[in-house]
Amino acid sequence: MFDPDKFHVTETLHDGSTVEIRAQKPEDRKAILDAIAHASVDTLYHRFFAVKRHLSEKEKHFFFDVDFVNHVVLIAVGNLDGEPRIVGGARFVVTEPGKAEVAFSVVDDFQHHGLGAVLMHHIAAVARDAGIKEFVAEVLSDNVAMLAVFEHSGLITTTRRDGATIHVSMRFPGA
Ligand SMILES: CC(C)(COP(=O)(O)OP(=O)(O)OC[C@H]1O[C@@H](n2cnc3c(N)ncnc32)[C@H](O)[C@@H]1OP(=O)(O)O)[C@@H](O)C(=O)NCCC(=O)NCCS
């Protein structure tokens, strides 16, 4: 079973900077809400399919009351403006036995440095250990970076277009 207190990994990004990947903690709440409040329009639109800077109470409950069994969140802490900051995160939510929906977000200053791929690697490893056999995701069709992360993940990826969104299914090899 995933132990959020024990998961700590250091990774090096394409620009040589390092990030620590760990489980989300309750005390990360303010930093994550601040990151959403300061994200670019483009990032918000691709993450939430809307320009949404503030979460409702129901959404906060979803984002922060994480059980690490049916809902796992990993975050990345990097150096931003000389301070350790939350610079990205990945979550999966089990929707039925063996299947989970996955979602990502990387802060604007850290995008395209390889962090999305690093987060994908670790969230997939945690999911595999938890018995997940398939990830699914809804992605806006112009989200080249997210689709590239999925395609290069090593999972067996199939896509289905549905209007402006692409439904992505990723099966774990051997599952
Ligand atoms: C989507 C997102 C999570 C990807 O994270 P990232 O750290 O920017 O992605 P990476 O730097 O790891 O790039 C991954 C791959 O995409 C490719 N890529 C990134 N941006 C690209 C672009 N604009 N055009 C083509 N390829 C691109 C990279 O070359 C890399 O390819 P590789 O695996 O062959 O090396 C991040 O950009 C983000 O948070 N965007 C806004 C929110 C969002 O879209 N969330 C997803 C909701 S489903």
Side-chain angles (χ1 to χ4, degrees):
M1 203 167 116
F2 179 70
D3 183 346
D5 293 328
K6 292 210 173 116
F7 187 91
H8 291 274
V9 186
T10 301
E11 292 277 6
T12 303
L13 303 183
H14 297 332
D15 62 357
S17 66
T18 56
V19 288
E20 185 204 6
I21 314 290
R22 62 163 172 80
Q24 178 177 286
K25 299 176 189 169
E27 54 268 35
D28 295 327
R29 186 183 176 106
K30 185 180 177 310
I32 292 170
L33 292 174
D34 282 352
I36 294 171
H38 293 103
S40 71
V41 164
D42 197 52
T43 288
L44 292 170
Y45 189 62
H46 282 110
R47 175 62 183 86
F48 297 115
F49 297 9
V51 180
K52 183 175 184 56
R53 293 200 182 278
H54 302 286
L55 301 181
S56 67
E57 285 311 309
K58 196 174 162 197
E59 288 165 330
K60 284 180 192 164
H61 175 69
F62 169 74
F63 270 73
F64 300 114
D65 293 343
V66 173
D67 63 7
F68 290 105
V69 177
N70 289 312
H71 188 171
V72 172
V73 187
L74 299 181
I75 57 140
V77 178
N79 195 303
L80 198 55
D81 303 328
E83 303 272 343
R85 296 263 180 85
I86 293 175
V87 293
R91 73 183 60 231
F92 73 78
V93 179
V94 178
T95 53
E96 60 186 78
K99 186 171 176 178
E101 183 154 358
V102 67
F104 294 76
S105 199
V106 171
V107 300
D108 289 84
D109 286 348
F110 272 70
Q111 288 177 14
H112 312 311
H113 293 177
L115 180 53
V118 162
L119 286 166
M120 180 69 195
H121 173 80
H122 289 293
I123 200 83
V126 172
R128 192 183 304 112
D129 288 349
I132 297 298
K133 298 182 185 328
E134 182 184 11
F135 269 164
V136 293
E138 299 297 327
V139 184
L140 284 176
S141 58
D142 68 348
N143 197 341
V144 181
M146 191 74 265
L147 292 167
V149 168
F150 290 153
E151 267 161 31
H152 293 90
S153 65
L155 307 189
I156 303 152
T157 303
T158 52
T159 58
R160 191 186 71 241
R161 195 174 175 128
D162 185 7
T165 61
I166 294 183
H167 175 83
V168 186
S169 161
M170 292 158 271
R171 293 209 63 96
F172 287 67

